[in-house]
Amino acid sequence: MKTVSAILAMVVAVSFAALTACSKPGPAKGTTEKEKPGAKSPKSITVGFAQTGNESDWRRANTESVKSEAEKRGITLKFADAQSKQENQIKALQSFIAQGVGVIVLAPIVSTGWDPVLKEAKRAKIPVILSDRRIDTADPSLYVTFIGSDFVKEGRMAAEWLVKKMNGKAKIVELQGEPGSAPATDRRIGFLEVIKNYPDMQIIDSQSGDFLRAKGKVVMEAFLKKHKDIQALFAHNDDMAIGAIQAIEEAGLKPGQDIIIVSIDSVKAAFEMMMAGKLNCTVECNPLLGPMIFDAVEAVMAGKQLPKNTYMVDLVFDQSQAKDVIASRKY
Ligand code: AHR
């Protein structure tokens, strides 16, 4: 599995490199006179990275990947942690614009409400790269490229696994991610798209746990008080699933047996839970975006055109694979 993962990751990285290498050189969209193509070596590029926050193991791995890749390439990184508030992220973007950074990398907390600040960046001729989460906009010229996972596909993969495991019949509770965020919206869309074909697969309750472990526990406690017939849990991330596992145990039930659990991210802690028999399946969402983000930064500064969207290849892991895979997990 390690080899398959490594090969797939390489295929994505190589296709991305090929796309950027084959593109026609020309003025980089949004570079200033001072920073026009060829005028700056990668080492003198300053990048402003507006991160969502620090809500999950996934997020911490993502931050680390971006920071360490910038350091490796000698690129100056200005890092802003928005503490899960869009207004903080907008302020961070305005500050990056005022400081005249070369490129902005934005991991948008929610998908709407970005046009005004992205128009400010465009006016200042600063290219914006979207990382991790997509945005809703009628004007795709407001960003140069998106790099991240296909969240609808992740939701579909979780549902397909669960349908098979439950033979098409289950009473399901759902722990949604941060309201308004692309992963919460899209994972739900993908999951519903699959289960609508199975009338006996029913979501009996659904609530947000904000991608937080502590909130996953609190919401699961409420689900357990309200419903005595829960057979499966779909959690939009591993952290909330782990919080829910605690709630299920405290209610005197066996997570992974009495309630079948599928979640998303594939962080190390999820593999530990699978090895303990408490989590049944985790769908991968690769947070190690740093190398691809800085390939894109360097390409845009060199005046190359980028593909509008680059998606990571994500896999599905269940308990039978956990022992073999855990040692090779990097996050
Ligand atoms: O946008 C990716 C999601 O954000 C991850 O699934 C979740 O853990 C996170 O915080």
Side-chain angles (χ1 to χ4, degrees), residues 45 47 75 103 105 129 292-302:
I45 301 171
V47 172
I75 291 176
V103 178
V105 178
I129 293 172
M292 290 172 78
I293 288 171
F294 287 102
D295 282 351
V297 165
E298 291 181 8
V300 80
M301 292 306 286

Side-chain angles (χ1 to χ4, degrees), residues 62-80:
N62 178 249
T63 296
E64 169 53 25
S65 171
V66 174
K67 283 186 174 173
S68 60
E69 192 64 25
E71 202 182 327
K72 199 161 121 195
R73 298 188 191 211
I75 291 176
T76 305
L77 185 73
K78 291 180 184 291
F79 177 79

Side-chain angles (χ1 to χ4, degrees), residues 52 54-60 108 131-133 151 154 178 181-184 187 210-212 236-239 264-265 267 285:
T52 60
N54 185 35
E55 70 277 3
S56 62
D57 282 1
W58 188 99
R59 189 61 55 194
R60 287 180 277 282
S131 118
D132 165 32
R133 298 179 178 181
F151 298 134
E154 290 173 350
E178 230 160 341
S181 70
R187 286 171 183 168
D210 285 334
F211 286 129
L212 298 170
H236 288 196
N237 81 345
D238 291 337
D239 280 77
I264 296 178
D265 277 356
V267 297
C285 178

Side-chain angles (χ1 to χ4, degrees), residues 3-320:
T3 332
V4 176
S5 261
I7 292 170
L8 288 172
M10 271 172 61
V11 170
V12 174
V14 170
S15 339
F16 185 75
L19 275 162
T20 56
C22 297
S23 56
K24 288 183 211 125
K29 225 185 258 173
T31 49
T32 62
E33 203 47 44
K34 213 170 118 212
E35 295 178 348
K36 68 186 170 193
K40 285 206 145 201
S41 76
K43 285 200 187 282
S44 56
I45 301 171
T46 298
V47 172
F49 176 34
Q51 178 59 293
T52 60
N54 185 35
E55 70 277 3
S56 62
D57 282 1
W58 188 99
R59 189 61 55 194
R60 287 180 277 282
N62 178 249
T63 296
E64 169 53 25
S65 171
V66 174
K67 283 186 174 173
S68 60
E69 192 64 25
E71 202 182 327
K72 199 161 121 195
R73 298 188 191 211
I75 291 176
T76 305
L77 185 73
K78 291 180 184 291
F79 177 79
D81 173 341
Q83 298 176 342
S84 300
K85 291 199 177 82
Q86 185 180 28
E87 69 257 33
N88 290 347
Q89 228 172 9
I90 291 173
K91 278 185 202 144
L93 255 54
Q94 286 166 335
S95 157
F96 293 151
I97 295 166
Q99 292 172 67
V101 299
V103 178
I104 289 173
V105 178
L106 168 66
I109 292 169
V110 288
S111 48
T112 56
W114 295 103
D115 281 25
V117 71
L118 293 183
K119 278 181 186 155
E120 286 177 42
K122 194 176 175 183
R123 273 196 298 274
K125 300 191 184 336
I126 300 175
V128 175
I129 293 172
L130 295 182
S131 118
D132 165 32
R133 298 179 178 181
R134 61 162 184 80
I135 58 166
D136 294 333
T137 179
D139 181 0
S141 78
L142 294 177
Y143 63 93
V144 287
T145 191
F146 163 84
I147 299 167
S149 286
D150 181 338
F151 298 134
V152 175
K153 201 168 164 192
E154 290 173 350
R156 275 188 215 124
M157 292 195 287
E160 278 156 8
W161 182 89
L162 194 61
V163 166
K164 211 165 158 201
K165 176 79 182 169
M166 306 302 290
N167 296 318
K169 192 172 176 179
K171 292 207 163 78
I172 308 159
V173 289
E174 179 188 29
L175 277 168
Q176 294 186 35
E178 230 160 341
S181 70
T185 308
D186 294 353
R187 286 171 183 168
R188 182 169 168 77
I189 289 173
F191 192 85
L192 292 177
E193 195 184 291
V194 172
I195 67 160
K196 72 165 194 278
N197 301 314
Y198 299 87
D200 291 332
M201 296 284 291
Q202 293 166 7
I203 298 189
I204 57 169
D205 217 333
S206 178
Q207 214 180 297
S208 172
D210 285 334
F211 286 129
L212 298 170
R213 199 173 284 205
K215 196 139 180 226
K217 181 171 187 264
V218 170
V219 176
M220 190 68 206
E221 281 166 357
F223 285 159
L224 287 162
K225 274 192 194 127
K226 207 162 137 198
H227 309 279
K228 298 293 161 211
D229 52 352
I230 303 170
Q231 294 169 314
L233 163 66
F234 168 43
H236 288 196
N237 81 345
D238 291 337
D239 280 77
M240 291 189 296
I242 292 167
I245 285 169
Q246 283 174 27
I248 294 168
E249 284 180 323
E250 286 171 18
L253 296 168
K254 286 200 171 110
Q257 290 180 32
D258 296 328
I259 297 179
I260 301 298
I261 307 171
V262 56
S263 60
I264 296 178
D265 277 356
S266 300
V267 297
K268 249 196 181 132
F271 284 85
E272 283 158 9
M273 286 293 162
M274 287 201 293
M275 283 172 69
K278 297 178 182 187
L279 176 72
N280 301 84
C281 175
T282 178
V283 175
E284 191 176 35
C285 178
N286 192 336
L288 308 180
L289 304 177
M292 290 172 78
I293 288 171
F294 287 102
D295 282 351
V297 165
E298 291 181 8
V300 80
M301 292 306 286
K304 292 176 182 165
Q305 274 194 329
L306 294 165
K308 203 66 190 174
N309 296 295
T310 302
Y311 294 106
M312 306 302 280
V313 177
D314 293 317
L315 303 174
V316 180
F317 299 102
D318 66 14
Q319 287 181 354
S320 68

